[in-house]
Amino acid sequence: AVARLLAAEGTLARAAAAGKVVVGIGAGYEILGRSFETPGGGTEAGLELLDVTTTLGDHVDNRVVTRPAPRFGLPALVGYEWHRGRTALGPEPEPLAEVEVGVCNGGDPPTDGAVQGHVLGTYLHGPLLPRNPELADLLLGWALGTEIEPLRSEFAALARDERIAEAREVWRRKQGLLSRFR
């Protein structure tokens, strides 16, 4: 219903066409794509702002650590994911990041998100921008049409390092438990 309302209203499509920043997280990411599968087994049209399609898989609930594509100049992004989406990228977008810990897009190689122009979709919750202030600065730079020199925060770097260490440990334990039941 949300996808249909957003498509009919047209604001996001007009914003993306004008080069404005559009960000979708989780289901918002899926809606930005060409199509997405519904829990009832149907397929709904997306907003077609990203050349991606989403099908459903097993539910994932993980902490996430990613390595953003080098062109973005970002440190590791951290957060969590909680979804069933498996998102395949078409030829136009590029992944936001490679996944170190988590499932995210669900493909091989493991990636998260898609970026096409100034439209960005990701499965990374967190909240995304407060946990990843350099990404917030990148998006602000896109919105302003200029590169913003990220402010460096010792506290933010320490918090990120702690979250990365914790996510790696939880992932390691989870993978060990899963291997015992296979």
Side-chain angles (χ1 to χ4, degrees), residues 30 36-44 54-57 84-85:
E30 295 170 3
F36 56 93
E37 189 176 350
T38 64
T43 300
E44 292 285 334
T54 301
T55 58
L56 295 180
R84 290 183 53 202

Side-chain angles (χ1 to χ4, degrees), residues 99-112:
V99 176
E100 177 186 341
V101 173
V103 173
C104 298
N105 287 340
D108 189 25
T111 61
D112 176 56

Side-chain angles (χ1 to χ4, degrees), residues 8-35:
E9 198 275 334
T11 299
L12 290 178
R14 286 190 302 277
K20 305 296 183 192
V21 176
V22 176
V23 177
I25 300 169
Y29 168 30
E30 295 170 3
I31 287 171
L32 293 177
R34 294 194 177 285
S35 66

Side-chain angles (χ1 to χ4, degrees), residues 67-77 96 134-136 138:
R67 292 178 297 277
R71 84 171 180 97
F72 300 122
L74 298 170
L77 300 176
L96 171 63
E134 296 86 355
L135 177 60
L138 175 70

Side-chain angles (χ1 to χ4, degrees), residues 59-103:
H59 183 262
V60 293
D61 181 9
N62 299 307
R63 295 160 197 225
V64 176
V65 178
T66 70
R67 292 178 297 277
R71 84 171 180 97
F72 300 122
L74 298 170
L77 300 176
V78 297
Y80 72 93
E81 62 182 335
W82 194 85
H83 63 94
R84 290 183 53 202
R86 301 300 180 269
T87 301
L89 279 61
E92 294 182 50
E94 70 174 302
L96 171 63
E98 293 178 356
V99 176
E100 177 186 341
V101 173
V103 173

